[in-house]
Amino acid sequence: MEDGLPLGQVEINQYEADLTTAADLCAAANAHLSVFLVKVAAPPQFGDYAALSVAWLDIRAAELEQLDEALESARTTLKDLGFSFDVAGEYTEPAWADDLVGERARYADVTLVGTSMDPSFRARAIEGALFYSARPVLLATRRQSVTLLPKRILLAWNSSLESTRAAREALDMMKNAEGVNVVLVDPSASRWNGHEPGADVATYLARHGIKVTVDRLPSAGRRIDEVLNQHAIDTSAELIVIGAYGHTRLRERVFGGVTKALIETPVVPVLMVR
């Protein structure tokens, strides 16, 4: 299996831990690693007569040098690890960071987003990959190692297009897993869910030789992300697979939502698909 895994990063001096995570993940799965280091430019400063200040130009020159040094360091770190890789980088203005990540991610099977980057850039990198690449995004956590070969998977299911795409993207992972728990929170019989919620997707997965268990869980006053996280822990899941942004981004940002919560506080690694 060969997967390209672009790795976004805002601060050049913070990328080492995420690079190690990506390298371990690809080495275990015999996958190709495509590293993408991003340096976001400092805000412009203006001197007298609206001229660009010399100090700001010096800062930009230093940032470009930092990026070059980080790219060379990453190549040096990876060259003796025994798997194929490539390393690229971009120096960009803040407004273009998410577009850059999304454009790069189009040429990878999955985008791995680490935990060491600045939170504001991390959120933009995730949204860029989700909305501009048509590829899944794999979120690492500080609590549990991330893998492309999970033994147990939790598939969050609500019969939406997003969850359908997520199931399809994770199909190979689920085929190789020891078991998959399809989880529905507060499900009800409907046109989309059928008379027995979860039965249709379980049948579909079973046709592919996947070992499926359907779990219909009550929220009992808890948020859906809390129910999913707790059930992932209870079932020893190494990965949560979920469709992202069932509501608009604006609604998620203003009112909150499952996607937003899992992005901000993932308990186990999460594979998101838009």
Side-chain angles (χ1 to χ4, degrees), residues 46-118:
F46 295 92
D48 295 337
Y49 309 108
L52 288 173
S53 72
V54 173
W56 178 62
L57 293 175
D58 288 343
I59 289 171
R60 292 177 73 90
E63 289 175 338
L64 283 167
E65 185 176 349
Q66 285 180 331
L67 177 60
D68 288 340
E69 291 173 354
L71 291 171
E72 186 59 33
S73 177
R75 294 185 184 106
T76 300
T77 298
L78 296 172
K79 68 178 181 180
D80 296 324
L81 296 183
F83 58 83
S84 64
F85 69 90
D86 65 89
V87 179
E90 286 282 352
Y91 183 67
T92 182
E93 304 301 326
W96 298 106
D98 48 353
D99 296 271
L100 278 174
V101 173
E103 289 166 6
R104 176 77 176 181
R106 292 172 191 173
Y107 307 104
D109 293 323
V110 60
T111 300
L112 173 66
V113 178
T115 61
S116 300
M117 64 186 71
D118 175 82

Side-chain angles (χ1 to χ4, degrees), residues 68-204:
D68 288 340
E69 291 173 354
L71 291 171
E72 186 59 33
S73 177
R75 294 185 184 106
T76 300
T77 298
L78 296 172
K79 68 178 181 180
D80 296 324
L81 296 183
F83 58 83
S84 64
F85 69 90
D86 65 89
V87 179
E90 286 282 352
Y91 183 67
T92 182
E93 304 301 326
W96 298 106
D98 48 353
D99 296 271
L100 278 174
V101 173
E103 289 166 6
R104 176 77 176 181
R106 292 172 191 173
Y107 307 104
D109 293 323
V110 60
T111 300
L112 173 66
V113 178
T115 61
S116 300
M117 64 186 71
D118 175 82
S120 63
F121 178 78
R122 181 176 176 276
R124 297 196 64 177
I126 292 169
E127 290 195 2
L130 284 173
F131 282 88
Y132 304 136
S133 76
R135 294 289 190 269
V137 174
L138 180 57
L139 306 181
T141 77
R142 290 186 173 91
R143 298 178 56 176
Q144 183 174 326
S145 60
V146 62
T147 176
L148 292 173
L149 303 169
K151 294 181 180 179
R152 297 207 62 85
I153 296 173
L154 186 157
L155 172 63
W157 184 257
N158 64 0
S159 301
S160 66
L161 290 176
E162 291 80 13
S163 61
T164 302
R165 295 188 193 105
R168 182 62 187 87
E169 288 288 352
L171 200 60
D172 287 340
M173 283 185 178
M174 291 191 288
K175 286 179 182 179
N176 292 321
E178 294 177 358
V180 175
N181 290 77
V182 176
V183 177
L184 300 88
V185 181
D186 294 334
S188 60
S190 67
R191 173 187 173 190
W192 302 110
N193 283 332
H195 295 298
E196 187 179 352
D200 289 341
V201 67
T203 300
Y204 165 73

